[in-house]
Every structure is written in C-alpha cells, then in structure tokens.
Amino acid sequence: MSPSPLDPSHPRDPLSPDRRTSDAVVVVHRSGPLQGEVVVPGAKNSVLKLMAATLLADGEHHLTNVPDIADVSIMSDLLAAIGVTTTSPAPGELLMVNTGDITPVAPYELVERIRASINVLGPLLGRFGRVRLSLPGGDDFGSRPIDMHLSGLEAMGATITLDHGDVVATADRLHGADVTFEFPSVGATENILTAAVHAKGTTVIDNAAREPEISDLCRMLVSMGADIEGIGTSRLVVHGVEPGTLRATRHDTVPDRIQAATYLAAAAVTGGELFLRGARADHMDMLLRRFTDMGLELVPQHDGLSVYAPERLRAIDVATLPYPGIATDYKPLIVTMLAVADGVGIVTENLYPGRFRYVEELCRLGADIRTDGHHAVVRGRAALSGAPVRAPDIRAGAALVVAGLVAEGTTTISGVHHIDRGYDDLVGRLAAVGASIERRPPR
Ligand code: UD1
C-alpha cells in the first residue's frame, strides 16, 4: 500500500537524492553505435504545468509518468510554500494534496529557479482572486517577458501592479474575454487557460500555442471538470465554471518529445539503432521529417518509435518555429548532429535570439560553427575531439553529452545541474544502450 502523504516519515522530496548534486560531472568517451531500447520519460514542460494545475481543486491529485528531474522537485517546493504538498508514493508518481489552505504568494527564492513557476499565476488568480509572484527565472536565454500573460489577464478583469519586483494581481472574479496573442506563447496560453476555467462566462484564446504539452494540460483540466473546446488547435474556447466545482484528478503525463529527440540524436551521431518506448511520433512530425532528410530511418510503432541511423548524416537547413514547427528546444541537438554531418547546414533561431551560447562549447570539441545574429552556419566534420566543456542550460547540456559520444578521447561536462533540471537519468539511459559514459560525483 502507498504511504500516506501525511506520514511524516515519508520523504516529501520526490526526487532521487543524487539528482540534487550540483557539482557532479559527466564523463563521455567516443562510443560505438548505440543499440537497444530507451524508455522515454514524461515531459518536463508538461508535468510542471500539471503540478501547478492542482491549485485549481481541493483533494488528492495523482500524477503518473512523472520524470525524476530537479525541476519537479523545485516545483513541489514552490507549491508546498503555497499550500499543496507533494509526495511520491512510487517511482514516477506524485500524490499532490490540496487541502484548500492556500497562501497565494510565490516567493522569489523559488520562483527565480524555474521559469514554469509563472504557471501558478493563472490558477491562483482565477480561483482565489489574488496572487503575488516574483518575476520568474529559469534558463537564461535572453529576455523572456511576460507581457502577454499580464495583458490577457487584464482583459479578463484583473488589476495588475508591479511592487518591489513582484507581480501583484487581483480580481473579484475574472470574466470571460477574447484574448488574441500576437505570438503563440506557451506560458501565456497556459496561464490564460488556467485562469479562464474559473472565470464568469466564456474566454476565447486566439493564436493559442498548440504544443502537445498544452493539450496534455487541457486534458487534465477537462478531467477535473473544466469545459474546454478546441484542444490541440490555435483557438481554445473555455466556458468558466463556478469556483469550487472542479475536482481532484488522476492524470498520466505526456511523454517528453525533447528527451525522445535527445536519444534520436544520440543514435544518429553514433550510427546506432534504438527503439524509443513511449515516444510519440505524432508529436514530433516536423522534426522526424527533417531527420529523415538527414538520412535517419524512422519507423513509428504503436508503443514507440524505432530509429536506424546511417553511417553518416547529411546536412540540412533548419529554422525553429512554434509548434507544429521545429521546437527551439531541439536546436542544440540539431546543431550537434550537423557538426558531424556531411555538408553545411544553416540553423535559424526564431524564438530566442540569445540561444546560441552553447556553440562556443561545441567549438571547443572541434565543431566548425559560425553564428551571425539568428543564424548558425555549421560545417560538418567527420569527428569531434574530446575536451572539458560546461553545460550552459538544459538542452545545450544534453547536446554536449551527445557530442561527447562522437568526440575522440574524453569529454568532461560540468554544469550537470542544468541537465538534471530536465533529464531523467540521461547518463544511465545512454549507458544502458552502449554509450561509454559515467557520472562522477563531486570530489
Ligand atoms: C516554454 C518552454 C521552453 C520552450 C518555449 C518555446 C516551459 C517551462 N518552457 O517556455 O522550454 O523553449 O516554451 O517553445 O514550458 N514572450 C513574450 N512575452 C510573453 C511571453 C513570451 O515576448 O508574455 C516571448 C519570449 O520571450 C520568447 C517567446 O515569446 O521569445 C516564446 O516564449 P513562450 O512560448 O512563452 O515560452 P515559455 O512558456 O517561456
């Protein structure tokens, strides 16, 4: 039987203790073709939002397919400060208890660690009519404003002020509104959605983001009793329900398409063959088309995705775009693949201008990459050469690990705490399919 969430002897921290280690390094040696099966964990960019959605209803919420990543732990700390407790009754599961005793304040020490903390704004304002939230942190890839979140909430009747670095939002009760985004922001779509479920009347979100993680959140909200039409489209229609009528739920987190792409990239650069159990090919359509152009053979199965890599990849040009375009989070992996492909590829970043910082680190491994504004020109080389490098953010950290698999000698990656924010045992999963890789604890 699962331990009670109220049992004080049961650890509240849902994360494996070794993932809390920030000074570890990952040591990678050039590896032969990866072979075997990788189980794809649940999506970071979904589960953090699902966790925030537990603020919307009292009771015991049960989340499954939860990745063992540091950001889940940080989000559980943030929600504990607000009033929702988290325990892990079994690996990959979270039991989240909302007793209704909520303090709608998100403190700076927690908010600054994780961008997704902004996702408490919509639920708290919609349900409790007030919230104080420090401006969010997370990966540092350039300026990441929240103006669309705030103007959407204002259109729904919120009064918003900035006070000593905090956003303070209040509303007697939000009302439905037509909210049209000038850009399909993931976070703004989620916040308007979770605010709208309790608003009086109907909210229409036009040019909504369509990421699979947003559909996952919508499905959880519907299972809690929310009334949402247009799930998976760029026009979401939310008919508000009375506060207090939503109920706690059980929800299975959507598989992580970015982690899946990481294992595809690892198979690709080593000329390997992998089966990615749980990977959703339908959530990665555009990426898989481009990977096919690079020479990968990709075979969707009912329970995952098989990949067969060629001896050498072919270069392509790629531009990042909101879903269903190529996600910006895939880009460091694509640049790494191009670094060892045959030919020259141009990668264009359309979401975050500053998101090429890892390129210097790849160049330390011998990659030939030049950046110019939004563009990176990558001239493929037959192999890279190992060196010490530092992970600048989550996805770039994973890309450096992938690069290490095709680098002669030893690649030592520091800044592993970035990787731990979004990857559930990347090292163990790669080692299990033949990679020469280990995690070394801090000296
Ligand atoms: C989410 C993901 C992140 C991913 C990104 C784009 C999480 C926790 N993070 O981030 O991994 O890279 O989607 O797919 O899910 N913007 C504004 N004003 C706003 C909101 C956004 O100008 O009010 C800009 C941002 O600065 C950025 C772009 O829009 O340039 C994309 O932001 P958005 O889609 O909101 O991404 P996030 O939700 O922050």
Short mmCIF file of all heavy atoms in Angstrom, two decimals, residues 44-46 48-49 71 114-119 136-137 139 141-151 181-190 209 211 213-214 257-258 321-323 326-330 349-353 355 394-395 421, ligand 1:
data_model
loop_
_atom_site.label_atom_id
_atom_site.label_comp_id
_atom_site.label_asym_id
_atom_site.label_seq_id
_atom_site.Cartn_x
_atom_site.Cartn_y
_atom_site.Cartn_z
N LYS A 44 8.93 17.23 -18.99
CA LYS A 44 9.14 18.33 -18.04
C LYS A 44 8.17 19.47 -18.31
O LYS A 44 7.53 19.99 -17.39
CB LYS A 44 10.58 18.87 -18.15
CG LYS A 44 10.79 20.19 -17.42
CD LYS A 44 12.21 20.69 -17.57
CE LYS A 44 12.41 21.71 -18.68
NZ LYS A 44 11.81 23.02 -18.44
N ASN A 45 8.08 19.86 -19.58
CA ASN A 45 7.29 21.05 -19.89
C ASN A 45 5.79 20.81 -19.79
O ASN A 45 4.99 21.73 -19.98
CB ASN A 45 7.66 21.60 -21.28
CG ASN A 45 9.00 22.31 -21.24
OD1 ASN A 45 9.58 22.51 -20.17
ND2 ASN A 45 9.50 22.71 -22.40
N SER A 46 5.42 19.56 -19.51
CA SER A 46 4.02 19.30 -19.19
C SER A 46 3.85 19.14 -17.69
O SER A 46 3.01 19.80 -17.07
CB SER A 46 3.53 18.04 -19.90
OG SER A 46 2.15 17.93 -19.74
N LEU A 48 5.28 20.11 -15.04
CA LEU A 48 5.35 21.29 -14.15
C LEU A 48 4.04 22.06 -14.20
O LEU A 48 3.58 22.62 -13.19
CB LEU A 48 6.52 22.19 -14.57
CG LEU A 48 7.90 21.50 -14.55
CD1 LEU A 48 8.97 22.44 -15.09
CD2 LEU A 48 8.26 21.06 -13.12
N LYS A 49 3.41 22.09 -15.37
CA LYS A 49 2.13 22.80 -15.53
C LYS A 49 1.00 22.00 -14.90
O LYS A 49 0.05 22.57 -14.36
CB LYS A 49 1.82 23.07 -17.00
CG LYS A 49 3.02 23.33 -17.91
CD LYS A 49 3.91 24.45 -17.46
CE LYS A 49 5.16 24.64 -18.33
NZ LYS A 49 4.95 24.93 -19.72
N ASP A 71 13.58 19.94 -11.71
CA ASP A 71 12.53 20.97 -11.78
C ASP A 71 11.23 20.51 -11.12
O ASP A 71 10.47 21.32 -10.60
CB ASP A 71 12.26 21.37 -13.24
CG ASP A 71 13.21 22.48 -13.70
OD1 ASP A 71 14.21 22.75 -12.98
OD2 ASP A 71 12.97 23.08 -14.77
N ILE A 114 13.09 28.69 -11.62
CA ILE A 114 12.39 27.89 -12.62
C ILE A 114 11.31 28.73 -13.31
O ILE A 114 10.46 29.33 -12.66
CB ILE A 114 11.82 26.63 -11.92
CG1 ILE A 114 10.83 25.86 -12.76
CG2 ILE A 114 11.20 26.90 -10.65
CD1 ILE A 114 10.28 24.65 -12.01
N ARG A 115 11.41 28.80 -14.62
CA ARG A 115 10.51 29.62 -15.43
C ARG A 115 9.04 29.19 -15.24
O ARG A 115 8.14 30.01 -15.22
CB ARG A 115 10.92 29.47 -16.90
CG ARG A 115 9.97 30.03 -17.91
CD ARG A 115 10.16 31.50 -18.12
NE ARG A 115 9.29 32.03 -19.15
CZ ARG A 115 9.13 33.33 -19.39
NH1 ARG A 115 9.78 34.22 -18.68
NH2 ARG A 115 8.33 33.74 -20.34
N ALA A 116 8.82 27.90 -15.08
CA ALA A 116 7.44 27.39 -15.02
C ALA A 116 6.71 27.84 -13.76
O ALA A 116 5.50 27.64 -13.64
CB ALA A 116 7.44 25.87 -15.11
N SER A 117 7.43 28.47 -12.82
CA SER A 117 6.74 28.96 -11.62
C SER A 117 5.69 30.01 -11.99
O SER A 117 4.72 30.20 -11.26
CB SER A 117 7.75 29.53 -10.62
OG SER A 117 8.59 30.45 -11.27
N ILE A 118 5.87 30.63 -13.15
CA ILE A 118 4.88 31.60 -13.62
C ILE A 118 3.51 30.93 -13.80
O ILE A 118 2.47 31.60 -13.77
CB ILE A 118 5.35 32.22 -14.97
CG1 ILE A 118 4.46 33.38 -15.42
CG2 ILE A 118 5.41 31.21 -16.07
CD1 ILE A 118 4.72 34.62 -14.67
N ASN A 119 3.51 29.62 -13.92
CA ASN A 119 2.25 28.91 -14.15
C ASN A 119 1.32 28.84 -12.94
O ASN A 119 0.21 28.36 -13.05
CB ASN A 119 2.51 27.48 -14.66
CG ASN A 119 2.76 27.46 -16.14
OD1 ASN A 119 3.79 27.94 -16.59
ND2 ASN A 119 1.82 26.95 -16.91
N PRO A 136 9.69 35.65 -12.92
CA PRO A 136 10.29 34.32 -12.97
C PRO A 136 11.71 34.27 -13.53
O PRO A 136 12.15 35.16 -14.24
CB PRO A 136 9.34 33.57 -13.91
CG PRO A 136 8.78 34.60 -14.79
CD PRO A 136 8.69 35.86 -13.97
N GLY A 137 12.39 33.14 -13.22
CA GLY A 137 13.74 32.89 -13.72
C GLY A 137 13.73 31.75 -14.72
O GLY A 137 12.94 31.74 -15.64
N ASP A 139 15.93 29.02 -17.39
CA ASP A 139 17.08 29.08 -18.29
C ASP A 139 17.32 30.51 -18.74
O ASP A 139 16.39 31.22 -19.08
CB ASP A 139 16.80 28.23 -19.54
CG ASP A 139 17.28 26.81 -19.34
OD1 ASP A 139 18.14 26.59 -18.47
OD2 ASP A 139 16.78 25.94 -20.05
N PHE A 141 18.15 32.33 -21.48
CA PHE A 141 18.47 32.55 -22.89
C PHE A 141 17.78 33.81 -23.40
O PHE A 141 16.85 33.79 -24.18
CB PHE A 141 18.23 31.35 -23.82
CG PHE A 141 17.18 30.38 -23.44
CD1 PHE A 141 15.86 30.63 -23.69
CD2 PHE A 141 17.53 29.18 -22.85
CE1 PHE A 141 14.89 29.69 -23.38
CE2 PHE A 141 16.58 28.25 -22.55
CZ PHE A 141 15.25 28.50 -22.80
N GLY A 142 18.31 34.92 -22.88
CA GLY A 142 17.82 36.20 -23.36
C GLY A 142 16.60 36.65 -22.57
O GLY A 142 16.16 36.00 -21.64
N SER A 143 16.08 37.78 -22.97
CA SER A 143 14.96 38.38 -22.26
C SER A 143 13.70 37.55 -22.48
O SER A 143 13.39 37.14 -23.59
CB SER A 143 14.78 39.79 -22.82
OG SER A 143 13.49 40.23 -22.58
N ARG A 144 12.99 37.26 -21.41
CA ARG A 144 11.76 36.45 -21.55
C ARG A 144 10.63 37.15 -20.82
O ARG A 144 10.27 36.81 -19.69
CB ARG A 144 11.99 35.05 -20.99
CG ARG A 144 13.09 34.33 -21.70
CD ARG A 144 13.38 33.00 -21.05
NE ARG A 144 12.47 31.97 -21.50
CZ ARG A 144 12.52 30.72 -21.07
NH1 ARG A 144 13.39 30.36 -20.17
NH2 ARG A 144 11.68 29.83 -21.52
N PRO A 145 10.04 38.15 -21.45
CA PRO A 145 8.99 38.93 -20.77
C PRO A 145 7.71 38.13 -20.58
O PRO A 145 7.54 37.06 -21.17
CB PRO A 145 8.78 40.10 -21.73
CG PRO A 145 9.27 39.66 -23.04
CD PRO A 145 10.31 38.60 -22.81
N ILE A 146 6.80 38.68 -19.74
CA ILE A 146 5.51 38.02 -19.53
C ILE A 146 4.36 38.97 -19.83
O ILE A 146 3.28 38.86 -19.29
CB ILE A 146 5.38 37.45 -18.10
CG1 ILE A 146 5.58 38.54 -17.04
CG2 ILE A 146 6.35 36.30 -17.88
CD1 ILE A 146 5.12 38.11 -15.65
N ASP A 147 4.64 39.93 -20.74
CA ASP A 147 3.62 40.94 -21.04
C ASP A 147 2.32 40.32 -21.58
O ASP A 147 1.22 40.78 -21.26
CB ASP A 147 4.18 41.96 -22.05
CG ASP A 147 4.78 41.29 -23.27
OD1 ASP A 147 5.62 40.39 -23.10
OD2 ASP A 147 4.39 41.64 -24.39
N MET A 148 2.42 39.26 -22.36
CA MET A 148 1.20 38.66 -22.93
C MET A 148 0.37 37.96 -21.85
O MET A 148 -0.86 37.96 -21.91
CB MET A 148 1.55 37.67 -24.04
CG MET A 148 1.97 38.36 -25.32
SD MET A 148 2.10 37.20 -26.67
CE MET A 148 3.79 36.73 -26.54
N HIS A 149 1.06 37.38 -20.86
CA HIS A 149 0.33 36.77 -19.74
C HIS A 149 -0.50 37.86 -19.04
O HIS A 149 -1.69 37.68 -18.75
CB HIS A 149 1.29 36.21 -18.67
CG HIS A 149 2.28 35.20 -19.16
ND1 HIS A 149 2.39 33.95 -18.59
CD2 HIS A 149 3.21 35.23 -20.14
CE1 HIS A 149 3.35 33.28 -19.19
NE2 HIS A 149 3.86 34.04 -20.13
N LEU A 150 0.18 38.98 -18.77
CA LEU A 150 -0.45 40.02 -17.96
C LEU A 150 -1.56 40.73 -18.73
O LEU A 150 -2.64 40.98 -18.17
CB LEU A 150 0.61 41.02 -17.47
CG LEU A 150 1.74 40.39 -16.62
CD1 LEU A 150 2.68 41.47 -16.11
CD2 LEU A 150 1.20 39.58 -15.45
N SER A 151 -1.33 41.02 -20.01
CA SER A 151 -2.39 41.75 -20.73
C SER A 151 -3.60 40.85 -20.94
O SER A 151 -4.75 41.32 -20.92
CB SER A 151 -1.87 42.33 -22.05
OG SER A 151 -1.38 41.31 -22.86
N PHE A 181 -3.40 36.46 -28.98
CA PHE A 181 -1.95 36.65 -28.79
C PHE A 181 -1.31 37.10 -30.09
O PHE A 181 -1.64 36.58 -31.16
CB PHE A 181 -1.29 35.34 -28.33
CG PHE A 181 -1.70 34.90 -26.96
CD1 PHE A 181 -2.14 33.61 -26.73
CD2 PHE A 181 -1.61 35.78 -25.88
CE1 PHE A 181 -2.50 33.20 -25.46
CE2 PHE A 181 -1.97 35.37 -24.61
CZ PHE A 181 -2.43 34.09 -24.40
N GLU A 182 -0.34 38.00 -29.99
CA GLU A 182 0.38 38.39 -31.20
C GLU A 182 1.39 37.31 -31.58
O GLU A 182 1.89 37.27 -32.70
CB GLU A 182 1.07 39.75 -31.01
CG GLU A 182 2.10 39.76 -29.93
CD GLU A 182 2.55 41.16 -29.59
OE1 GLU A 182 1.71 41.98 -29.16
OE2 GLU A 182 3.75 41.43 -29.74
N PHE A 183 1.67 36.43 -30.64
CA PHE A 183 2.62 35.33 -30.84
C PHE A 183 2.11 34.17 -29.99
O PHE A 183 1.66 34.39 -28.86
CB PHE A 183 4.01 35.79 -30.36
CG PHE A 183 5.03 34.70 -30.36
CD1 PHE A 183 5.82 34.47 -31.47
CD2 PHE A 183 5.21 33.90 -29.24
CE1 PHE A 183 6.76 33.46 -31.48
CE2 PHE A 183 6.16 32.88 -29.24
CZ PHE A 183 6.93 32.67 -30.36
N PRO A 184 2.14 32.93 -30.49
CA PRO A 184 1.57 31.82 -29.70
C PRO A 184 2.48 31.39 -28.54
O PRO A 184 3.17 30.39 -28.61
CB PRO A 184 1.41 30.70 -30.74
CG PRO A 184 2.42 31.00 -31.79
CD PRO A 184 2.59 32.50 -31.83
N SER A 185 2.46 32.19 -27.49
CA SER A 185 3.30 31.91 -26.32
C SER A 185 2.77 30.70 -25.55
O SER A 185 1.58 30.63 -25.23
CB SER A 185 3.32 33.14 -25.41
OG SER A 185 3.61 32.77 -24.08
N VAL A 186 3.67 29.79 -25.24
CA VAL A 186 3.30 28.59 -24.48
C VAL A 186 2.80 28.99 -23.08
O VAL A 186 1.69 28.65 -22.67
CB VAL A 186 4.53 27.64 -24.36
CG1 VAL A 186 4.26 26.50 -23.39
CG2 VAL A 186 4.91 27.10 -25.73
N GLY A 187 3.64 29.73 -22.36
CA GLY A 187 3.30 30.07 -20.98
C GLY A 187 2.05 30.94 -20.89
O GLY A 187 1.20 30.74 -20.01
N ALA A 188 1.91 31.91 -21.80
CA ALA A 188 0.74 32.80 -21.74
C ALA A 188 -0.54 32.01 -22.05
O ALA A 188 -1.57 32.20 -21.40
CB ALA A 188 0.91 33.96 -22.73
N THR A 189 -0.47 31.09 -23.01
CA THR A 189 -1.64 30.26 -23.31
C THR A 189 -2.06 29.48 -22.06
O THR A 189 -3.23 29.42 -21.69
CB THR A 189 -1.34 29.28 -24.46
OG1 THR A 189 -0.96 30.04 -25.62
CG2 THR A 189 -2.54 28.41 -24.80
N GLU A 190 -1.07 28.91 -21.38
CA GLU A 190 -1.37 28.09 -20.20
C GLU A 190 -1.97 28.94 -19.07
O GLU A 190 -2.91 28.51 -18.39
CB GLU A 190 -0.10 27.39 -19.72
CG GLU A 190 0.36 26.33 -20.71
CD GLU A 190 1.80 25.90 -20.53
OE1 GLU A 190 2.59 26.60 -19.84
OE2 GLU A 190 2.18 24.86 -21.09
N ALA A 209 -0.96 28.78 -28.34
CA ALA A 209 0.10 27.80 -28.64
C ALA A 209 -0.54 26.41 -28.69
O ALA A 209 -1.52 26.14 -28.00
CB ALA A 209 1.18 27.87 -27.57
N GLU A 211 1.32 23.33 -28.55
CA GLU A 211 2.25 22.27 -28.15
C GLU A 211 1.50 21.08 -27.52
O GLU A 211 0.48 21.29 -26.84
CB GLU A 211 3.25 22.83 -27.13
CG GLU A 211 4.50 23.48 -27.72
CD GLU A 211 4.26 24.80 -28.42
OE1 GLU A 211 3.10 25.26 -28.47
OE2 GLU A 211 5.24 25.38 -28.94
N GLU A 213 2.14 19.57 -24.98
CA GLU A 213 2.09 19.73 -23.51
C GLU A 213 0.89 20.59 -23.12
O GLU A 213 0.34 20.45 -22.02
CB GLU A 213 3.40 20.36 -23.01
CG GLU A 213 4.65 19.49 -23.23
CD GLU A 213 5.16 19.48 -24.66
OE1 GLU A 213 4.91 20.46 -25.40
OE2 GLU A 213 5.81 18.48 -25.06
N ILE A 214 0.48 21.50 -24.00
CA ILE A 214 -0.71 22.32 -23.71
C ILE A 214 -1.97 21.44 -23.82
O ILE A 214 -2.87 21.52 -23.00
CB ILE A 214 -0.77 23.54 -24.63
CG1 ILE A 214 0.38 24.48 -24.25
CG2 ILE A 214 -2.12 24.25 -24.54
CD1 ILE A 214 0.51 25.71 -25.07
N ARG A 257 8.86 14.83 -25.71
CA ARG A 257 9.37 14.78 -27.10
C ARG A 257 10.79 15.31 -27.17
O ARG A 257 11.55 14.96 -28.08
CB ARG A 257 8.42 15.54 -28.05
CG ARG A 257 8.25 16.98 -27.73
CD ARG A 257 6.98 17.57 -28.32
NE ARG A 257 6.72 18.85 -27.69
CZ ARG A 257 7.02 20.02 -28.21
NH1 ARG A 257 7.55 20.08 -29.42
NH2 ARG A 257 6.79 21.14 -27.56
N ILE A 258 11.19 16.16 -26.23
CA ILE A 258 12.57 16.69 -26.29
C ILE A 258 13.56 15.63 -25.79
O ILE A 258 14.63 15.44 -26.38
CB ILE A 258 12.71 17.98 -25.45
CG1 ILE A 258 11.53 18.92 -25.65
CG2 ILE A 258 14.05 18.66 -25.76
CD1 ILE A 258 11.44 19.59 -26.98
N LEU A 321 10.47 27.21 -34.99
CA LEU A 321 9.17 27.90 -35.03
C LEU A 321 8.29 27.33 -33.91
O LEU A 321 8.55 26.22 -33.42
CB LEU A 321 8.48 27.66 -36.37
CG LEU A 321 8.94 28.51 -37.55
CD1 LEU A 321 8.28 28.02 -38.83
CD2 LEU A 321 8.63 29.98 -37.34
N PRO A 322 7.23 28.04 -33.53
CA PRO A 322 6.29 27.45 -32.57
C PRO A 322 5.69 26.17 -33.15
O PRO A 322 5.63 25.99 -34.37
CB PRO A 322 5.21 28.53 -32.41
CG PRO A 322 5.85 29.80 -32.83
CD PRO A 322 6.85 29.42 -33.89
N TYR A 323 5.20 25.30 -32.27
CA TYR A 323 4.59 24.04 -32.69
C TYR A 323 3.44 24.31 -33.67
O TYR A 323 2.69 25.25 -33.46
CB TYR A 323 4.04 23.31 -31.45
CG TYR A 323 3.65 21.89 -31.73
CD1 TYR A 323 4.59 20.87 -31.69
CD2 TYR A 323 2.33 21.58 -32.02
CE1 TYR A 323 4.22 19.56 -31.95
CE2 TYR A 323 1.96 20.26 -32.28
CZ TYR A 323 2.92 19.26 -32.25
OH TYR A 323 2.56 17.96 -32.50
N ILE A 326 9.58 23.26 -35.86
CA ILE A 326 10.70 22.65 -35.13
C ILE A 326 10.92 23.44 -33.84
O ILE A 326 11.22 24.63 -33.89
CB ILE A 326 11.99 22.71 -35.98
CG1 ILE A 326 11.79 22.05 -37.35
CG2 ILE A 326 13.17 22.15 -35.21
CD1 ILE A 326 11.95 20.58 -37.40
N ALA A 327 10.81 22.78 -32.69
CA ALA A 327 10.93 23.48 -31.40
C ALA A 327 12.33 24.02 -31.19
O ALA A 327 13.32 23.38 -31.55
CB ALA A 327 10.58 22.51 -30.27
N THR A 328 12.40 25.17 -30.57
CA THR A 328 13.70 25.77 -30.24
C THR A 328 14.50 24.85 -29.31
O THR A 328 15.72 24.81 -29.35
CB THR A 328 13.51 27.17 -29.64
OG1 THR A 328 14.78 27.72 -29.35
CG2 THR A 328 12.68 27.16 -28.37
N ASP A 329 13.79 24.07 -28.50
CA ASP A 329 14.49 23.18 -27.56
C ASP A 329 15.23 22.04 -28.28
O ASP A 329 16.11 21.42 -27.71
CB ASP A 329 13.50 22.58 -26.55
CG ASP A 329 12.96 23.65 -25.59
OD1 ASP A 329 13.10 24.84 -25.89
OD2 ASP A 329 12.40 23.28 -24.55
N TYR A 330 14.85 21.75 -29.52
CA TYR A 330 15.57 20.71 -30.28
C TYR A 330 16.89 21.24 -30.85
O TYR A 330 17.73 20.48 -31.28
CB TYR A 330 14.76 20.25 -31.51
CG TYR A 330 13.46 19.53 -31.25
CD1 TYR A 330 12.33 19.85 -32.00
CD2 TYR A 330 13.37 18.50 -30.33
CE1 TYR A 330 11.13 19.16 -31.82
CE2 TYR A 330 12.17 17.81 -30.15
CZ TYR A 330 11.06 18.15 -30.89
OH TYR A 330 9.89 17.47 -30.72
N GLU A 349 17.33 30.61 -35.64
CA GLU A 349 16.55 30.65 -34.39
C GLU A 349 15.53 31.78 -34.47
O GLU A 349 15.90 32.93 -34.64
CB GLU A 349 17.50 30.87 -33.21
CG GLU A 349 16.83 31.19 -31.89
CD GLU A 349 15.94 30.05 -31.38
OE1 GLU A 349 16.44 28.95 -31.19
OE2 GLU A 349 14.73 30.30 -31.19
N ASN A 350 14.26 31.44 -34.35
CA ASN A 350 13.22 32.46 -34.46
C ASN A 350 12.54 32.79 -33.14
O ASN A 350 11.63 33.62 -33.10
CB ASN A 350 12.15 32.00 -35.46
CG ASN A 350 12.68 32.03 -36.89
OD1 ASN A 350 13.31 33.00 -37.28
ND2 ASN A 350 12.44 30.99 -37.65
N LEU A 351 12.94 32.11 -32.05
CA LEU A 351 12.25 32.36 -30.78
C LEU A 351 13.10 33.11 -29.76
O LEU A 351 12.63 34.05 -29.14
CB LEU A 351 11.74 31.04 -30.18
CG LEU A 351 10.40 30.61 -30.77
CD1 LEU A 351 10.59 29.85 -32.06
CD2 LEU A 351 9.60 29.79 -29.79
N TYR A 352 14.32 32.66 -29.57
CA TYR A 352 15.19 33.29 -28.57
C TYR A 352 16.50 33.71 -29.23
O TYR A 352 17.36 32.86 -29.47
CB TYR A 352 15.52 32.32 -27.44
CG TYR A 352 14.33 31.84 -26.67
CD1 TYR A 352 13.86 30.54 -26.83
CD2 TYR A 352 13.68 32.68 -25.78
CE1 TYR A 352 12.77 30.09 -26.12
CE2 TYR A 352 12.59 32.24 -25.07
CZ TYR A 352 12.13 30.94 -25.25
OH TYR A 352 11.07 30.49 -24.55
N PRO A 353 16.69 34.99 -29.50
CA PRO A 353 17.89 35.43 -30.20
C PRO A 353 19.18 35.03 -29.50
O PRO A 353 20.17 34.73 -30.13
CB PRO A 353 17.75 36.97 -30.22
CG PRO A 353 16.35 37.27 -29.85
CD PRO A 353 15.76 36.07 -29.19
N ARG A 355 19.99 32.37 -27.96
CA ARG A 355 20.12 30.96 -27.62
C ARG A 355 21.14 30.21 -28.47
O ARG A 355 20.89 29.16 -29.00
CB ARG A 355 18.75 30.29 -27.73
CG ARG A 355 18.60 29.19 -26.72
CD ARG A 355 17.23 28.61 -26.74
NE ARG A 355 17.10 27.60 -25.71
CZ ARG A 355 16.05 26.82 -25.57
NH1 ARG A 355 15.03 26.92 -26.35
NH2 ARG A 355 16.03 25.93 -24.61
N ILE A 394 19.72 23.48 -20.03
CA ILE A 394 19.29 22.07 -20.02
C ILE A 394 19.59 21.37 -21.34
O ILE A 394 20.27 20.34 -21.39
CB ILE A 394 17.77 21.98 -19.75
CG1 ILE A 394 17.39 22.69 -18.46
CG2 ILE A 394 17.33 20.51 -19.72
CD1 ILE A 394 15.88 22.74 -18.21
N ARG A 395 19.02 21.92 -22.41
CA ARG A 395 19.10 21.21 -23.69
C ARG A 395 20.50 21.27 -24.27
O ARG A 395 20.97 20.32 -24.91
CB ARG A 395 18.10 21.80 -24.69
CG ARG A 395 16.70 21.90 -24.17
CD ARG A 395 16.13 20.57 -23.73
NE ARG A 395 14.86 20.75 -23.04
CZ ARG A 395 14.22 19.79 -22.37
NH1 ARG A 395 14.74 18.58 -22.29
NH2 ARG A 395 13.08 20.03 -21.77
N ARG A 421 17.96 19.32 -14.43
CA ARG A 421 16.67 20.03 -14.36
C ARG A 421 15.64 19.39 -15.28
O ARG A 421 14.44 19.47 -15.00
CB ARG A 421 16.85 21.51 -14.75
CG ARG A 421 17.53 22.34 -13.68
CD ARG A 421 17.44 23.80 -14.01
NE ARG A 421 16.07 24.15 -14.41
CZ ARG A 421 15.75 25.18 -15.16
NH1 ARG A 421 16.68 25.98 -15.61
NH2 ARG A 421 14.49 25.41 -15.47
C1 UD1 B 1 8.25 27.22 -23.00
C2 UD1 B 1 9.20 26.12 -22.59
C3 UD1 B 1 10.57 26.30 -23.21
C4 UD1 B 1 10.44 26.47 -24.72
C5 UD1 B 1 9.43 27.57 -25.06
C6 UD1 B 1 9.17 27.71 -26.55
C7 UD1 B 1 8.44 25.54 -20.38
C8 UD1 B 1 8.72 25.53 -18.93
N1 UD1 B 1 9.34 26.14 -21.16
O1 UD1 B 1 8.77 28.44 -22.47
O2 UD1 B 1 11.35 25.15 -22.91
O3 UD1 B 1 11.70 26.81 -25.24
O4 UD1 B 1 8.17 27.29 -24.43
O5 UD1 B 1 8.74 26.50 -27.08
O6 UD1 B 1 7.44 25.01 -20.85
N2 UD1 B 1 7.28 36.11 -24.96
C9 UD1 B 1 7.00 37.46 -24.84
N3 UD1 B 1 6.01 37.85 -23.99
C10 UD1 B 1 5.29 36.97 -23.25
C11 UD1 B 1 5.58 35.59 -23.37
C12 UD1 B 1 6.58 35.19 -24.24
O7 UD1 B 1 7.62 38.28 -25.51
O8 UD1 B 1 4.38 37.40 -22.49
C13 UD1 B 1 8.35 35.65 -25.86
C14 UD1 B 1 9.51 35.03 -25.10
O9 UD1 B 1 10.40 35.99 -24.62
C15 UD1 B 1 10.11 34.15 -26.15
C16 UD1 B 1 8.92 33.65 -26.93
O10 UD1 B 1 7.88 34.60 -26.68
O11 UD1 B 1 10.95 34.86 -27.02
C17 UD1 B 1 8.48 32.26 -26.56
O12 UD1 B 1 8.01 32.25 -25.24
P1 UD1 B 1 6.94 31.20 -24.72
O13 UD1 B 1 6.32 30.46 -25.84
O14 UD1 B 1 6.06 31.91 -23.74
O15 UD1 B 1 7.87 30.18 -23.94
P2 UD1 B 1 7.85 29.76 -22.42
O16 UD1 B 1 6.46 29.39 -22.00
O17 UD1 B 1 8.60 30.75 -21.60
#
